[in-house]
Amino acid sequence: MREDTRRWIEADKKHCWHPFTPQGIWEQGDPLVLTRGEGAWLWDSEGRKYLDGNSSIWTNIHGHHQPALDAAITRQLAAVAHTSYLGFANPLASELAERLCGLFPGGTLERVFFSDDGSTAIECAMKMAIQYRQQTGEPERIGFIAFEQAYHGDTMGAASLGGVARFHERFRKHGTPVTFVTGIEALRHLPSEAIRQSCAVVIEPLIQGVNEMRPWPKGMLCELRAWCDAHEVHLILDEVMTGFGRTGKMFACHHEEVIPDFLCVAKGLTGGYMPMAATLTTGEVYDAFLGPAENAFYYGHSYTANPLGCAVALASLEVFETERTLEKLEPKISLLAELLGDLKHPAVKAVRQCGFVAGIELAEGLGTKACLAMREHGLLTRPIRDTVVLMLPLCTTEEEIRMAVSAIGEALARVTA
């Protein structure tokens, strides 16, 4: 092991605290130290090369070191890295808000509130939904409806919506009141009192990510929109994972032509380059915050609408158009489905796919072992429980897709030998 690698690992174990990581287990081995990337590939400090099998935790869209995105940040850095958005504007935030709203029909999602990550995008939507009710004569509607096994982030409000006990149960009593349902039928059978006290329903459209990549039934989102309209409950869509092409369209809700009252995006917003998020909402919601000062939405972040983030987000949207990303993605999604369908192994319990997102559920106890073995075959990813996540950057070639699925098969053969 190189001297600098050893030094970085020792400093990490002495001082760092990693997310979603049992630190006692972490300290027992030597982690990979990732140092650079190019396209769909990453390199560690020892010079080993890996295909980025989960898009660096579901963020990277067009690949690492993408020329257009690199250039956008460099241009903006030559002007200014950051300016306050509290009482000021900046050109790229104005342009980005306009572009994001333009991805939906006119007169629908018309306003954009920028924040830092997926949790804060959800937090904004929750606070907006509650304050909207307070300012439109329904202050009693402070609860939310969410789905079991959902994950919507880790700030206290967003964590309240989480249906995964391992992550959220210890904090549940400290958060917002939430009614959990299993699906659309359970929603239809909720007591009327629970509905009257709820201001919004929150869902990851088309597929639940942290719930081991489980797709919703086709048409469910349309039914949910109709239910919300019938009961005058707002619909919040968490497209933090599914947004920006992951499901084959720009947003998952486009598959069923559903327009939410709040749309939350992050991760892929900047192509995986910068921490940035946005909460889109309607003109009707926005108008309820006009008037006297006490009606204002008193919420924000120091780095709201950061110019570097806005610059690279605009560049990412431009790449979608110039490189016809979504058009080129269609055959890749078909190839992925074909290859996963041929992944025959006794350890594979189920394969779930939604667009370019896939989860390969393995026999109990094999998830982590298989992912560690995949490294030896050039694939880097991590499991959710025993489900291996395969969420490649959209720029991944067909040859690289074949290599990724082959690495999974080879790793399974090794760990079950």
Side-chain angles (χ1 to χ4, degrees):
M1 182 179 290
R2 297 175 184 175
E3 184 178 344
D4 51 2
T5 300
R6 171 53 57 197
R7 177 170 55 84
W8 291 327
I9 290 174
E10 289 176 355
D12 181 291
K13 291 185 176 182
K14 186 176 181 180
H15 299 292
C16 298
W17 193 342
H18 291 259
F20 293 98
T21 302
Q23 288 299 121
I25 297 174
W26 174 265
E27 293 176 2
Q28 293 172 16
D30 287 340
L32 293 184
V33 181
L34 300 176
T35 57
R36 69 184 183 94
E38 186 79 33
W41 295 88
L42 291 167
W43 282 260
D44 70 13
S45 57
E46 298 291 289
R48 294 171 295 214
K49 179 182 178 183
Y50 310 91
L51 192 62
D52 190 356
N54 70 359
S55 295
S56 295
I57 298 298
W58 316 353
T59 61
N60 195 277
I61 298 291
H62 306 293
H64 301 277
H65 204 6
Q66 209 281 344
L69 274 60
D70 288 1
I73 288 183
T74 302
R75 283 194 304 271
Q76 182 56 38
L77 194 57
V80 64
H82 182 63
T83 59
S84 172
Y85 205 59
L86 279 70
F88 302 95
N90 74 64
L92 297 184
S94 302
E95 293 179 20
L96 179 57
E98 185 176 49
R99 288 289 300 276
L100 290 172
C101 292
L103 297 172
F104 295 88
T108 58
L109 297 176
E110 300 178 301
R111 295 286 174 170
V112 179
F113 192 96
F114 293 110
S115 60
D116 295 352
D117 55 38
S119 293
T120 58
I122 292 290
E123 202 84 13
C124 287
M126 294 177 71
K127 288 190 171 185
M128 287 175 179
I130 291 172
Q131 189 172 337
Y132 172 87
R133 300 292 179 173
Q134 293 172 345
Q135 294 172 186
T136 55
E138 296 181 299
E140 72 281 359
R141 301 188 81 164
I142 60 171
F144 292 85
I145 300 171
F147 292 84
E148 291 185 3
Q149 302 305 313
Y151 174 86
H152 296 288
D154 297 303
T155 52
M156 197 63 79
S160 301
L161 304 172
V164 182
R166 178 189 300 182
F167 301 148
H168 306 306
E169 192 60 38
R170 68 180 73 238
F171 304 110
R172 198 169 307 287
K173 67 180 181 180
H174 301 287
T176 303
V178 179
T179 299
F180 288 96
V181 294
T182 55
I184 196 73
E185 280 305 311
L187 187 69
R188 290 182 176 128
H189 290 89
L190 278 179
S192 57
E193 184 62 23
I195 298 171
R196 284 196 299 269
Q197 293 177 355
S198 298
C199 62
V201 175
V202 188
I203 190 172
E204 294 171 274
L206 264 62
I207 181 171
Q208 284 186 317
V210 173
N211 189 16
E212 302 179 66
M213 300 297 161
R214 295 185 189 274
W216 290 111
K218 187 175 181 180
M220 184 267 201
L221 194 60
C222 276
E223 294 180 62
L224 181 59
R225 175 73 272 183
W227 185 94
C228 288
D229 290 341
H231 294 87
E232 297 182 337
V233 174
H234 280 148
L235 177 59
I236 300 173
L237 295 188
D238 178 351
E239 293 241 22
V240 172
M241 179 194 78
T242 57
F244 303 101
R246 294 292 183 195
T247 65
K249 293 185 180 291
M250 186 62 79
F251 295 107
C253 61
H254 285 162
H255 286 273
E256 298 188 16
E257 298 182 352
V258 166
I259 306 296
D261 302 290
F262 300 90
L263 180 85
C264 302
V265 298
K267 290 191 183 293
L269 174 59
T270 64
Y273 268 54
M274 300 282 291
M276 190 176 193
T279 303
L280 281 66
T281 192
T282 64
E284 179 186 0
V285 169
Y286 176 81
D287 288 346
F289 291 78
L290 301 177
E294 57 266 26
N295 281 10
F297 187 54
Y298 288 111
Y299 181 91
H301 298 264
S302 300
Y303 285 91
T304 292
N306 170 257
L308 295 176
C310 291
V312 73
L314 282 165
S316 176
L317 292 175
E318 188 66 24
V319 169
F320 268 104
E321 295 184 9
T322 58
E323 298 192 0
R324 307 192 332 273
T325 301
L326 296 179
E327 179 184 336
K328 293 178 180 178
L329 190 59
E330 292 179 10
K332 296 179 187 180
I333 292 172
S334 298
L335 174 62
L336 180 62
E338 176 188 337
L339 295 174
L340 290 176
D342 292 336
L343 189 63
K344 307 297 184 184
H345 192 283
V348 177
K349 296 174 63 177
V351 174
R352 294 182 284 273
Q353 183 182 354
C354 179
F356 211 42
V357 175
I360 300 95
E361 184 179 350
L362 305 180
E364 186 175 354
L366 288 183
T368 298
K369 293 177 183 178
C371 286
L372 290 173
M374 289 172 205
R375 297 180 184 183
E376 302 302 317
H377 300 280
L379 178 64
L380 197 62
T381 187
R382 62 179 287 162
I384 302 171
R385 299 186 182 92
D386 286 303
T387 295
V388 174
V389 175
L390 189 61
M391 192 185 302
L392 297 157
L394 306 190
C395 68
T396 306
T397 66
E398 293 191 359
E399 180 183 355
E400 290 165 343
I401 295 170
R402 293 181 185 278
M403 174 260 161
V405 178
S406 175
I408 295 172
E410 290 171 346
L412 287 176
R414 177 177 174 182
V415 299
T416 59

